[in-house]
Structure formats: structure tokens, C-alpha cells
Amino acid sequence: MPKLNISLEEEQRHFEADVAAIEKQWSSPRQAHLKRPYTAQTIAALRSSIDTTNPVSSSQAIKLWNLLHEHRKNGTTELTFGTTDPTVVTQMAKHCETVYVSGALCGFSEVSVPGMDACDYPWDTVPKVVSKISKSQQWHDQRQRQFRLRHSQKDRANLENWDYLAPIVADGDMGFGSLTSTMKMAKEFVDSGVAMIHLDDLAIGMKKFTIGQGRTVVPTSEYIDRLTAVRMQFDIMGSETLLLTRCDTDHSEFITSVIDERDHEYVQGATKSVEPLKECLAKAQANGEDLKAARNDWKSRAVLRTFDEAVKDVASDSEYDVYITEVRKTQFRSLTSRREIAAKTVKQPVFFDWDIPRSAMGQYFFKSCVKAIIERALAVAPLGDVTWARMDTPNWDDIVEFHTAVRKVHPDRLFAFGYTGDYDFGKAGFSPEQVKTLHLDMAKMGIVWQVQPIWSLQGLLMATDDFGKLWASEAIGGYVREVQTPALAKTPIADGFEKLSWCGGYLLDSFYETVAGEKIVEKQ
Ligand SMILES: C[C@](O)(C(=O)O)[C@H](CC(=O)O)C(=O)O
């Protein structure tokens, strides 16, 4: 292998030029709001000597950044939905300005072994889907342009001219492991051409929906480290790719560790001296008892409380007032500090043990609330570009409280929102009239990117079911009447093979023409 032919002075010059370029990029209007815990020198030294910026990801990110800011300025919002299918994306281009690649959908349709969304698919699953969609967008852009340029300037005025290059937003879940897998995932995303990815605070494998038991977050510090790892990877690549800091704290029941005192306020402990939950459940299992009932019985005996609630239970009203006033003098207090204050302000001893309720997997009980979500969102805001508090149910008061509080600190913040699962708006207290204008009301709070992530699971399934029924009963007669005729009558035409443009027929022909020098297809 030959030695690198570069003098020490030249190497140093390159390094310093890199540092200067990084500092310039970090102070640009696109990046000036970001705060990194590392320096441009550190990043420059982590780069390889070849430029690894991905032009698609960076230009799509800037396009998205400008689009979202335009919405924020106007109090409007981008509305999109999730898919994994490039053909679907071509039709989205007529109505949406962005595309969403959903992890949940990938887990059903883009893996060798499908399953419910537990984010347990390989870490490069979603980047591969983004890459497929991005290449398809580029191809449609190319074949549309080629078709247009076959025509005179005047004739082009009557031809379709869609923006197929809608920026792609994709699901990075929790990063799929520790720092290095998160970095590898971020790298694959950038190389796939993604415009923005979201990363959340869930523990790996602990996104649980069905039995509603066990959804687990990581400590705030680990959430910050994850996002820092992504930001660092983007910086190493010199990428403009946007980072959407998603917070899944809502309805989470557990936290993996109590290492970060910022989380202590929300950790629950037993306030009665009972046997550890783990032992109780092991005994119940050995005796063939109903585990859910045993757990509920244990909970009623253990009386789970946060430390502040435990103090409130034993203190007089005036004692509690003194206690909580003292606690609130500092934003974050460790359990040790809370115990010290309680010892000074409350006569009764406070029994509180957060180890007794720990699960067999070691998790601690966690009491989620809007305040906890706000604190996490604020802790990570400087690392990201957009904020999303994922909510299991559409609770309007919570939505308003969250966005108002974050906007107080970051008035220009961009927000995202997902109409997760199938929200029951009626049950959540919304009138049909309120649902109609919900997206606009949210836009006024800075929620500039709104997504129905899993449209396929209702919309596409329903359309396929309806068509399957028609085809089975009426075959080609039904097809011609219900699909082909209306598709061709549509303006603009619902593309397909009929017009050679959508399927790239003219582009293909022009490759042959260019190589063989023959004019195979007449200009239209
Ligand atoms: C957005 C989401 O992460 C997804 O994978 O699409 C899911 C969607 C859903 O469960 O409806 C989510 O966690 O909200």
C-alpha cells in the first residue's frame, strides 16, 4: 500500500480548513439554533479525508427546513401520511409536500419476519425503505423532466410537472442499541437521502402497545446521549439532515434506571413494607395463580407513590407546603436531596422504597405526566430541529400544555404530531366540529408537520378489500367499470401504463435513441 503523499503542513492545512468549514456551517441560519457538547475540532478529527456529505439528504433537509418555517410563519401545517411503497409515493406528490416512512409499517411489510411494532426489526430496515423511495422519487423526477424536454417550451405549459422530490421523514425509533448502532443507523439514513429522522426515549424492545403494560423509557441522560450520537454522525458527514426529537414518555410505565436525578421526581416506590414484587409474582406463578390479579393485589398492598406523593400522604398540609416549596427552589432534586428536606420539614417518617417494585427485568415504576414530557423535550431541544411529544390519546389539554410550555422557552420551535394508531376522538371529548379543524388549531401552536403514520392499515387495507371483493365477483368487467375507466377519466390522469410517461416508457426509449442514435418514438 503506498503511503499518503501529503506533507505535515498540508495535513494541518486541511484540518484547519475543515474546522473553519464546520464552524461556518454551524453558524448558518439552518444550524445556528443547535448546541453541541463538542467542538468543531473534535468533529474535524473524526472525519475521513474524503467528503462523505450526501447531497440528496442535505438538499432535501434544507427544502424541508424552509417548508416547515414557511408554515410556522403562516400558522399553517404540512399534512402527510405513512407508507413504504414508492408507487403510492408518486400519487402523494400531488397532495403532500413530504413523505413519511413508518417503522410500524416497515415491521409489517419490509422484514423477513413480520410483527407488531415493537421496533425489533433490524436497524437498517427503515433506511433501506427510505433509499428505495428516494431513488424512485429521483427516477420519477428524471422521467418527468425527460418527457417535458421532448416538447417545445410552449407545449410544456400543458404538461404535468409534479414535485416528486418530496422530502422524506423517517422513523429512527430508539436507535436500535447503544451509541454505535445509533450512529450506523444515522449514517445509513443520511446515505438513503432522508430529510429528517425521529429518535425517541424508549428502551430497546420496550415499545409496548397491546396489553398496555411495560412501556419503558430510558433515563434523560441516555436519551440525550442517543440524540448526541445522531447529531455527531450527521456532523461527521457534514450533513444538513434534520433531527426530530420525539418523546415517548406519555403513558410510559417504567424507566430502566434511576441514574439521572432529573427523573427522580417521577419514579414510584412502595410506601408500605411488603415483599418485592418480583418475589410475589414468582410465587404466584409457581402456585399457578392469575398473575395479573396477583400483581394488582400486590400494588394495592404496596401503595405506589412518587416520593413527593409519599410525603404528602404522611405530612400535614402546612408541613407539605414547606416541604414542596423547599424542593422547588431547585429545578431538579435527587431522591437523596428530597429525603433530606422531608427529614427537616415533616415530623412523620416517610417510608419510600423504589427497589421493592422493580420488575424481573430490573425496571423502576415511572409516573408519566405532561411536566415530565416537557422537561425531557426541553433537555434535548438544543440537539434537534423539531419536537414531537407522542401521545397515546388525543388529550387536548395536554397538547396545549405541552406546546405552550416548550414555546415559552423556544418561541420559534417547530413541532411535529402523529395521529398515532386509531385515535378515538369522541372518547377523548372532541366534537366532530373540533376534529374537523384540529389540524388548523394545532398549526397555530407551531405544529407544522402532521402525520397519519399508518394510513395503510386502515385506508389501503380497506381499498384492497373493496377491490378484492369487486374483482372476485365481477372480474375484468368490474375492473374496467370501477378502476380503468375512472382512472383514465381523471384530470390529472391517475397515471399508469396507459400514458407512457408514468412508467418511464419515453425515458427508456430515449436511452436507446441516445446510444443507438435512432429515433424510435415520435415526439408527442
Ligand atoms: C409513528 C410510529 O412510530 C410508526 O411507526 O409509524 C407509530 C405509529 C402508531 O403506532 O400508530 C407510533 O409510535 O406512533
Side-chain angles (χ1 to χ4, degrees):
M1 196 187 296
K3 281 194 172 172
L4 271 178
N5 189 15
I6 180 168
S7 68
L8 291 176
E9 293 72 24
E10 225 179 316
E11 186 185 45
Q12 184 62 20
R13 258 202 316 278
H14 282 180
F15 173 72
E16 282 165 17
D18 254 359
V19 172
I22 292 170
E23 280 169 351
K24 188 162 171 235
Q25 188 181 31
W26 290 2
S27 57
S28 68
R30 151 73 192 95
Q31 299 217 8
H33 64 284
L34 296 169
K35 298 208 171 23
R36 286 115 166 143
Y38 45 75
T39 63
Q41 279 79 1
T42 306
I43 295 300
L46 288 172
R47 287 185 173 178
S48 77
S49 54
I50 196 166
D51 181 6
T52 55
T53 315
N54 182 294
V56 180
S57 184
S58 282
S59 62
Q60 292 295 84
I62 288 172
K63 184 171 173 180
L64 178 59
W65 178 251
N66 292 337
L67 172 82
L68 297 183
H69 274 281
E70 199 52 33
H71 279 304
R72 193 182 61 75
K73 221 173 62 201
N74 301 332
T76 52
T77 189
E78 156 66 358
L79 291 166
T80 190
F81 50 95
T83 187
T84 56
D85 184 345
T87 59
V88 165
V89 168
T90 62
Q91 301 312 296
M92 288 176 75
K94 298 174 181 173
H95 311 282
C96 307
E97 288 187 280
T98 61
V99 170
Y100 180 61
V101 178
S102 147
L105 294 183
C106 286
F108 290 119
S109 66
E110 301 286 335
V111 284
S112 44
V113 183
M116 174 74 183
D117 183 16
C119 312
D120 53 359
Y121 38 82
W123 60 264
D124 58 351
T125 303
V126 183
K128 280 181 181 154
V129 176
V130 173
S131 172
K132 174 176 83 171
I133 290 178
S134 172
K135 284 183 190 133
S136 159
Q137 289 178 318
Q138 290 167 49
W139 178 76
H140 279 286
D141 177 71
Q142 179 190 15
R143 61 98 190 138
Q144 174 177 260
R145 185 166 178 275
Q146 182 270 338
F147 182 69
R148 289 178 62 77
L149 294 176
R150 293 178 72 94
H151 295 75
S152 68
Q153 194 173 339
K154 190 161 146 276
D155 288 349
R156 273 180 239 151
N158 303 318
L159 296 179
E160 293 186 355
N161 200 11
W162 301 110
D163 183 358
Y164 281 111
L165 298 169
I168 302 171
V169 179
D171 190 347
D173 289 302
M174 81 329 278
F176 298 92
S178 67
L179 192 138
T180 55
S181 58
T182 303
M183 287 174 66
K184 287 179 189 175
M185 181 195 72
K187 182 176 186 326
E188 284 297 285
F189 267 127
V190 172
D191 284 337
S192 74
V194 83
M196 172 162 81
I197 64 167
H198 61 77
L199 209 80
D200 61 51
D201 57 346
L202 287 171
I204 190 158
M206 288 297 171
K207 177 173 183 169
K208 290 189 174 184
F209 288 129
T210 46
I211 52 166
Q213 209 167 74
R215 196 176 314 163
T216 306
V217 289
V218 294
T220 303
S221 50
E222 193 174 333
Y223 181 33
I224 292 173
D225 286 351
R226 259 176 204 180
L227 291 159
T228 307
V230 174
R231 179 57 61 202
M232 173 176 70
Q233 182 60 47
F234 287 175
D235 286 338
I236 290 172
M237 299 173 87
S239 188
E240 297 287 355
T241 317
L242 302 187
L243 181 54
L244 164 50
T245 58
R246 170 170 139 163
C247 192
D248 276 43
T249 308
D250 180 54
H251 279 93
S252 286
E253 282 185 301
F254 293 101
I255 184 163
T256 51
S257 144
V258 289
I259 197 66
D260 191 332
E261 64 185 38
R262 281 171 285 192
D263 301 316
H264 288 189
E265 181 176 343
Y266 310 105
V267 180
Q268 292 175 306
T271 57
K272 301 286 175 229
S273 178
V274 293
E275 79 278 23
L277 172 61
K278 192 171 145 256
E279 273 173 31
C280 162
L281 292 180
K283 227 184 282 161
Q285 186 147 23
N287 297 337
E289 289 166 25
D290 175 347
L291 281 186
K292 206 170 166 198
R295 190 181 153 92
N296 285 343
D297 171 63
W298 181 90
K299 272 177 141 180
S300 65
R301 287 187 290 118
V303 191
L304 292 182
R305 296 277 188 265
T306 64
F307 186 77
D308 292 349
E309 289 168 347
V311 172
K312 196 161 200 231
D313 281 354
V314 298
S316 67
D317 287 352
S318 59
E319 279 178 335
Y320 183 72
D321 279 351
V322 178
Y323 163 81
I324 205 70
T325 308
E326 189 58 32
V327 163
R328 288 183 185 152
K329 280 185 184 159
T330 298
Q331 193 186 6
F332 299 111
R333 292 251 184 215
S334 66
L335 177 64
T336 310
S337 162
R338 289 182 138 83
R339 280 196 196 281
E340 282 165 8
I341 297 170
K344 285 188 203 135
T345 54
V346 180
K347 266 195 241 91
Q348 296 289 330
V350 182
F351 183 85
F352 176 88
D353 189 328
W354 62 19
D355 284 313
I356 294 179
R358 287 179 76 181
S359 72
M361 292 164 84
Q363 299 131 299
Y364 295 79
F365 270 79
F366 185 79
K367 187 172 181 186
S368 164
C369 60
V370 180
K371 184 168 177 279
I373 310 172
I374 294 167
E375 284 170 7
R376 282 187 170 223
L378 288 175
V380 298
L383 289 165
D385 305 288
V386 185
T387 294
W388 173 4
R390 181 194 180 281
M391 301 209 169
D392 267 10
T393 47
N395 184 321
W396 181 245
D397 290 344
D398 289 357
I399 293 171
V400 173
E401 185 184 341
F402 174 80
H403 293 91
T404 310
V406 177
R407 270 153 71 95
K408 230 181 231 167
V409 183
H410 301 285
D412 294 343
R413 195 69 184 173
L414 302 171
F415 294 95
F417 190 86
Y419 297 95
T420 284
D422 29 17
Y423 275 171
D424 187 338
F425 287 101
K427 208 167 152 197
F430 286 83
S431 70
E433 286 312 305
Q434 283 170 317
V435 179
K436 257 193 223 160
T437 58
L438 181 57
H439 61 296
L440 303 174
D441 296 334
M442 296 217 290
K444 287 185 200 123
M445 287 187 285
I447 307 177
V448 290
W449 187 79
Q450 299 179 28
V451 62
Q452 166 33 278
I454 51 167
W455 155 80
S456 300
L457 298 188
Q458 277 179 336
L460 195 56
L461 290 191
M462 188 170 66
T464 310
D465 182 33
D466 289 347
F467 173 66
K469 196 165 155 203
L470 173 81
W471 179 249
S473 59
E474 295 192 51
I476 194 68
Y479 183 86
V480 170
R481 190 186 70 242
E482 298 293 334
V483 182
Q484 186 169 308
T485 308
L488 293 178
K490 242 177 170 229
T491 324
I493 192 166
D495 304 315
F497 268 95
E498 196 61 26
K499 272 226 165 180
L500 277 175
S501 60
W502 186 93
C503 58
Y506 293 107
L507 180 64
L508 179 67
D509 284 342
S510 83
F511 292 149
Y512 282 102
E513 284 172 29
T514 307
V515 172
E518 288 171 1
K519 201 155 149 227
I520 300 169
V521 177
E522 281 304 310
K523 280 190 183 163
Q524 273 204 340

